[in-house]
Amino acid sequence: GADTSSLSDPHFHVLMMFTKIDKSRSLQEKFRVAMLSMVKHGDFLEEEVLVLHFVSDQASQELGQRMLQEVLLDATFQYEVVFHDVVELTHKLFPIVEAMQKYFSAGSGAYYSDAIFFLSVAMHHIMPQSLTRIVQVDLDLKYRTNIRDLFQQFDHFPPGAVLGITREMQPVYRHTFWQYRKENPQTKVGEPPPDGLPGFNSGVMLLDLRAMRASPLYNQLLEPGNVAKLADQYRFRGHLGDQDFFSMIGMEHPELFYALACGWNRQLCTWWREHGYGDVFQLYYRCDGPVYIYHGNCNTAIPDD
Ligand code: UDP
Ligand code: MN
């Protein structure tokens, strides 16, 4: 677009949720794999800085600071590390996302602590105005390419798009939209690619915070009355937080999303293949083309290559 400020801003912002890490050896190991592969392939210009944001509790922060010293040793680029207090962010988020929690959270109540699972949805209101782009990534990833290349994808956003995201690679939304699909047999909702609307996966997200702030449509969709309207229209009940919200509004307004190639978030989980969807599973799971980032979701092992 006409915005050229990013060309001169040498900061590349990446955010990860990083809570209760001290309680899980498995998450610690995933974090190590993600960071070591990010560092190994990371390549930036001399004046550029990779800014690593972590949303964390006290114990996880202390552990994270120790682990980062180790995994960042071989970095050939400049970096900064910023820890955000999960309690403070939750406090800011809750009033914005409270109304959507009952549709997209586990359980029926709007639990205060679950608000953090909707951080990406309202990030444009939470982060300072000076922050215009941020990439949010899971910890259970393995990078096979320079993370700087991911940021180039921002430049392909069409006008009106606020978020870059990869499609979901299991038939989970075929399942979630079951009732809507029964009542609307011709719908593309929940159908596989390339012609269907399989929903999104939140493991890798490019948030154009400036576009999110500037989009009247996106901000209307955050309003409690409109969330309720869409959720009722689609008979939607889920428990995957931001991913469910984005997948639902994407059914109605696909133009808000820039579809990242499947290789940018190559999900490996096959849970739904064994749970009633074996016949259609491959239609969702297949991903042709290069894999830039593996996502070992639902604790799936990531190939060594
Ligand atoms: N996460 C965290 N603490 C936890 C569980 C999850 O910080 O106790 C964060 C972490 O960044 C993780 C993300 O939440 O990558 C999503 O969880 P996960 O990747 O396990 O979900 P999946 O991709 O398997 O659905
Ligand atoms: Mn994950």
Side-chain angles (χ1 to χ4, degrees):
D3 170 36
T4 54
S5 65
S6 58
L7 295 176
S8 53
D9 183 355
H11 293 90
F12 294 75
H13 293 92
V14 175
L15 180 141
M16 288 168 246
M17 292 300 308
F18 196 79
T19 59
K20 301 177 191 159
I21 305 300
D22 58 309
K23 305 221 168 28
S24 165
R25 289 296 295 268
S26 150
L27 275 172
Q28 291 165 34
E29 190 45 39
K30 287 170 183 171
F31 175 59
R32 189 183 304 279
V33 168
M35 291 310 300
L36 286 174
S37 58
M38 186 193 291
V39 164
K40 179 179 172 186
H41 297 284
D43 191 17
F44 289 83
L45 300 178
E46 212 168 337
E47 65 274 20
E48 293 174 343
V49 184
L50 180 66
V51 185
L52 298 165
H53 299 258
F54 296 97
V55 177
S56 204
D57 51 76
Q58 193 60 43
S60 299
Q61 174 173 344
E62 282 165 22
L63 179 64
Q65 278 164 333
R66 267 187 279 132
M67 291 184 70
L68 281 167
Q69 286 189 13
E70 203 181 304
V71 297
L72 287 167
L73 270 179
D74 292 333
T76 61
F77 48 85
Q78 298 191 71
Y79 59 83
E80 291 169 11
V81 177
V82 181
F83 282 92
H84 302 264
D85 181 6
V86 65
V87 175
E88 272 173 45
L89 291 196
T90 302
H91 181 75
K92 289 185 193 167
L93 268 172
F94 184 69
I96 311 175
V97 303
E98 178 181 6
M100 67 175 70
Q101 287 190 54
K102 68 164 179 269
Y103 302 105
F104 313 119
S105 282
S108 47
Y111 295 109
Y112 180 78
S113 60
D114 286 350
I116 200 67
F117 297 124
F118 298 87
L119 174 60
S120 59
V121 164
M123 188 95 76
H124 59 308
H125 292 318
I126 303 298
M127 292 295 178
Q129 293 277 328
S130 57
L131 196 56
T132 58
R133 290 172 165 184
I134 195 164
V135 172
Q136 182 171 339
V137 287
D138 272 8
L139 297 182
D140 54 344
L141 305 182
K142 186 170 180 182
Y143 298 85
R144 302 182 82 218
T145 191
N146 185 1
I147 192 169
R148 188 182 188 276
D149 296 346
L150 181 57
F151 285 84
Q152 316 288 165
Q153 296 292 314
F154 276 118
D155 301 326
H156 301 314
F157 279 34
V162 301
L163 187 79
I165 193 166
T166 301
R167 66 177 172 79
E168 167 63 43
M169 290 178 194
Q170 292 191 268
V172 44
Y173 291 108
R174 188 183 186 95
H175 180 82
T176 309
F177 285 94
W178 179 83
Q179 193 178 349
Y180 179 82
R181 288 169 51 78
K182 197 177 68 165
E183 293 164 7
N184 301 271
Q186 301 302 317
T187 188
K188 289 185 173 189
V189 169
E191 287 288 297
D195 298 325
L197 296 165
F200 301 122
N201 181 275
S202 61
V204 174
M205 295 185 287
L206 272 58
L207 306 171
D208 188 330
L209 301 177
R210 197 199 306 258
M212 289 168 79
R213 292 177 188 120
S215 170
L217 172 59
Y218 182 71
N219 289 291
Q220 276 163 24
L221 291 168
L222 289 179
E223 290 170 15
N226 292 324
V227 174
K229 208 170 116 190
L230 264 197
D232 289 341
Q233 178 187 325
Y234 284 109
R235 315 232 178 276
F236 194 98
R237 286 284 161 153
H239 64 278
L240 300 178
D242 54 0
Q243 169 172 324
D244 280 345
F245 176 74
F246 291 137
S247 292
M248 188 188 75
I249 67 171
M251 300 302 169
E252 192 77 3
H253 303 286
E255 70 276 14
L256 286 171
F257 300 89
Y258 174 67
L260 292 179
C262 59
W264 283 110
N265 175 6
R266 203 309 173 222
Q267 302 130 237
L268 296 169
C269 181
T270 57
W271 195 85
W272 288 96
R273 187 173 63 197
E274 273 72 56
H275 293 82
Y277 291 88
D279 52 341
V280 294
F281 188 81
Q282 279 304 326
L283 298 174
Y284 294 82
Y285 193 70
R286 76 176 279 184
C287 167
D288 301 324
V291 174
Y292 307 113
I293 301 176
Y294 276 123
H295 184 184
N297 55 153
C298 80
N299 299 313
T300 309
I302 298 178
D304 267 330
D305 63 307

